[in-house]
Every structure is written in structure tokens, then in C-alpha cells.
Amino acid sequence: MSTLQFPVTAHPSPATEDRRREILANPGFGKQFTDHMALATWTAEAGWHDGKIAPYGPLSIDPAAAVLHYAQEVFEGLKAFRHEDGSVWAFRPEANARRMSRSAHRLALPTLSEEDFIFSVRALVAEDVEWVPDYGTGETSLYLRPFMFASEAFLGVRPANEITYCVIASPAGAYFAGGMKPVSLWVSTDYARAGSGGTGAAKCGGNYASSLAGQLEGIGHGCDQAVFLDSETHTYIEELGGMNLFLLFSDGRLVTPELTGSILEGVTRDSILELAKDMGLQPEERRITIQEWKDGAASGELAEVFACGTAAVVTPVGRLVWEGGECTVGDPDVNGGAGATTLDIRRRLLDIQYGRAEDPHGWMTRLV
Ligand SMILES: Cc1ncc(COP(=O)(O)O)c(C=O)c1O
């Protein structure tokens, strides 16, 4: 049972239909937002209260709000998909709700129940349902961003006594608008994204801030993104700044770094581990050294590498670049360098998300 209610205050001047259509024709990612947002407040005295759907707009925040100083904040990311019959569905929203609770726990924030999380998302999507791109418009969706932050105005270092929860929604276009192209990765050894006992397993803003210097270093070396290693030994692969990684060996082993506490437990990662079994692959979660990647690429035993996450679903990885060397997995002359199994996994996930295939694992939840 949801404890929060989300009564609607309609936007006095929502986007015109023409404007909305214009945006939906070319939404990009994370730049355009729908007419409304969901809000709720938590206080130490009253718990969660004052849920509402309000017109989208700037939040008024005190300059002393704890989040601006101590980064007490967590967020989530999930998508709503339009099916052929016009209904709108979310992919494993309960997994995002549970992860948000785990993240909140790590950041000493209050937890929101799974029911309240899903109810807030459903209330917002119901109000802004016209913003969910039509079925058949490519890999388009409505990206949902629930987040909560310490809004109490207080400069002492302790968990805040007032928290704001908010959900915003942003129409998203195809991630690979210009066709799928394998990404190149820089092996970041100067910078780690997260460390033992830290917040790497939580989806909190600080992890992303700490990944940016490594990203910039990668871009400086001509790469698209950086792959982060464990912070103690700089030996084991962890993940990218915003995606998990999989290595497929030619004998059918599909290997992903095990969850050591400094890696985010991706919903896509977990789903691919399930799908792999359906596909007759041998999924493995274990520590993987960066040397195993380099050796596998050299010997040809490493057949495919891909990254995965909600935004891009599955992204092939081609070049791996490090100080003094590089290697490549995949043949650029076949499917532009994307491996056949990578493409198969990607298609299977998308087919479930858009309702084109059976959903044997019960991953889809109807929102509208
Ligand atoms: C650091 C990080 N790792 C992995 C992922 C993939 O997680 P998911 O599949 O739940 O989107 C994300 C987010 O999308 C992320 O930010």
C-alpha cells in the first residue's frame, strides 16, 4: 500500500501540442522535460508527507541546504515505454525502488517504500502521458529520474532532518541516433571512481563527480569513456562512469565483475545475467583483471565486450587504450564492430521493453 498521495496541480501553461510534437520528434537525452514533476517531503518529525504532482519548474532551495555542501543525495534512472496498444510500461521499477532504498541507507537518507516509489512514478507518467513517445518511433522512451536530497538549511555535518523527494521526466530519443558504433575506453589508473567502504554501490551524485576527472583524462587520450579499476590494486575491472561491463569469451562464458561493494548493481546487468541463461551462455560473476582483457584480445579468446545500462541498454566496446598501449575486440568490418551476441542481447531486452516479445521473467510493470 502506498502511504503517499500525489494530488495534481495542473500546469497553468503547459507546452502546446505543436511544441510537444516538435520536442518528441527529436528529444535527444536529458535536455527536455515534461510539464509536471512529483514532489514529497520527509521530516524527522512527520516522516514522508505532502506528496503532489506540481508544474515542472525551478525548486526554491536555501543556500545553506545540506545537499549543496555535503552531497547528501541519491537518485535513480528508469524508462517508460509505449507499447503498440498505447499502454505505457516501466522496466523493473521495483528493482530501482529497492536500489534507491539501498542507496538512501548508505547516504543516511530516509527510505521511500517500493509502493510509494512506483506510485510517484505512475502518478507523474499518468499526468504527462502525452510525453511518452509513440510506439514505432525507434528506441524512444520517457526517461524517469527520481531523486532525493537533504534540503534542510543547516551547516552542521549530520544526516539532515528535512529531505525533498522529486521525480522529473525527460523524453529520450534513440541513444545511437547515427547508428551503433563501438565505444573506446581509456583505462583510468590515476583516478578511481569508488573505493572499499565508500559509496560506489550507491547511486549518489558524488560518485559521478568523482568519475569526471577520469572521463576527461580518457577524452584527452582520444577515448569516449573511461573504465575504472579497483582503487587498491589497480588490477581488477570495475565499471564505467555510468555503465556496467561484460566480457564474452569464445567458449560461451559471459563474465561481469562481481559486486564487490564499489560497483553499482545495474538493473540491466542483472537482467542480462538472467537472459544469458535463457540464451545458453554461461554467465559468471567474478573478479576480472585488466590483463585478462588484454590477453583475451591478443589471443582472440575474448570475442565481444559490451557495456550496459538503462540509457544505452547495451553498447559494444571496441578499443581499450592505456598508457603505452591499446587493443581492440571486434571486427569493424562486421556490423560496424558490434558482436553478434551483443546485438542479440540488446534486441532481446528491447523486444521485452517494447512489448514485442514474451516477458517470461515478469519484468514489465504497467504504468498507464
Ligand atoms: C555507475 C553506473 N553503473 C551502472 C549503471 C547501470 O545501471 P542500470 O542498468 O540500472 O541503469 C549505471 C546507471 O545507469 C551507473 O550510473
Side-chain angles (χ1 to χ4, degrees), residues 14-356:
T16 61
E17 196 175 329
D18 280 354
R19 177 70 187 132
R20 196 179 62 238
R21 279 183 197 286
E22 194 187 330
I23 291 170
L24 290 179
N26 188 14
F29 182 79
K31 292 182 297 194
Q32 308 285 349
F33 300 92
T34 65
D35 292 319
H36 297 88
M37 57 187 178
L39 284 167
T41 303
W42 178 92
T43 56
E45 306 78 52
W48 285 111
H49 61 278
D50 207 14
K52 59 186 158 207
I53 300 293
Y56 182 94
L59 299 169
S60 165
I61 183 165
D62 193 290
V67 64
L68 299 178
H69 306 273
Y70 311 127
Q72 198 193 2
E73 179 266 1
V74 298
F75 67 98
E76 267 305 324
L78 68 164
K79 283 175 171 175
F81 304 89
R82 179 86 68 180
H83 286 190
E84 197 168 12
D85 66 358
S87 57
V88 177
W89 299 69
F91 182 72
R92 304 189 67 184
E94 66 291 336
N96 295 93
R98 288 198 291 266
R99 187 170 66 190
M100 187 142 172
S101 285
R102 293 197 299 275
S103 301
H105 188 257
R106 177 65 184 82
L107 274 284
L109 286 159
T111 55
L112 189 70
S113 74
E114 200 174 308
E115 291 77 16
D116 283 335
F117 178 95
I118 293 176
F119 196 57
S120 66
V121 162
R122 181 175 277 130
L124 178 61
V125 174
E127 189 56 27
D128 284 340
V129 70
E130 304 290 337
W131 287 91
V132 184
D134 286 343
Y135 178 82
T137 51
E139 288 170 20
T140 53
S141 61
L142 185 65
Y143 181 80
L144 300 160
R145 169 54 63 89
F147 59 105
M148 67 166 89
F149 60 91
S151 43
E152 183 189 6
F154 178 59
L155 293 182
V157 181
R158 60 145 170 77
N161 285 326
E162 185 201 291
I163 305 298
T164 299
Y165 170 71
C166 184
V167 190
I168 55 176
S170 174
Y175 196 85
F176 297 102
M180 197 185 304
K181 198 174 133 283
V183 293
S184 53
L185 299 182
W186 166 249
V187 183
S188 175
T189 45
D190 289 349
Y191 301 107
R193 172 188 167 274
S196 166
T199 56
K203 205 163 166 69
C204 63
N207 292 341
Y208 298 80
S210 77
S211 74
L212 297 178
Q215 298 273 37
L216 281 181
E217 196 183 58
I219 290 166
H221 284 85
C223 294
D224 299 306
Q225 297 200 35
V227 51
F228 293 99
L229 306 179
D230 75 289
S231 64
E232 277 143 76
T233 68
H234 303 294
T235 306
Y236 298 100
I237 303 163
E238 297 227 308
E239 59 177 324
L240 313 191
M243 281 190 269
N244 295 117
L245 270 172
F246 277 92
L247 275 63
L248 176 75
F249 290 87
S250 40
D251 60 4
R253 284 175 294 132
L254 182 64
V255 193
T256 192
E258 70 181 3
L259 302 171
T260 51
S262 49
I263 296 176
L264 190 81
E265 185 174 358
V267 178
T268 319
R269 171 189 180 280
D270 184 70
S271 310
I272 290 171
L273 287 170
E274 283 299 315
L275 279 183
K277 290 184 222 153
D278 303 346
M279 295 168 72
L281 299 168
Q282 291 95 53
E284 278 180 22
E285 294 176 80
R286 62 169 169 86
R287 301 196 95 184
I288 309 166
T289 63
I290 193 73
Q291 194 59 41
E292 188 175 351
W293 187 333
K294 296 176 188 176
D295 292 346
S299 70
E301 268 177 86
L302 183 56
E304 302 179 24
V305 180
F306 62 86
C308 66
T310 296
V313 191
V314 165
T315 307
V317 175
R319 276 169 75 225
L320 182 73
V321 183
W322 59 90
E323 204 64 71
E326 68 171 82
C327 64
T328 300
V329 172
D331 180 352
D333 294 331
V334 182
N335 287 326
T341 304
T342 302
L343 292 175
D344 190 15
I345 290 172
R346 185 165 208 282
R347 186 190 48 77
R348 283 172 189 252
L349 276 171
L350 288 167
D351 283 350
I352 293 172
Q353 292 174 336
Y354 287 101
R356 293 189 291 253

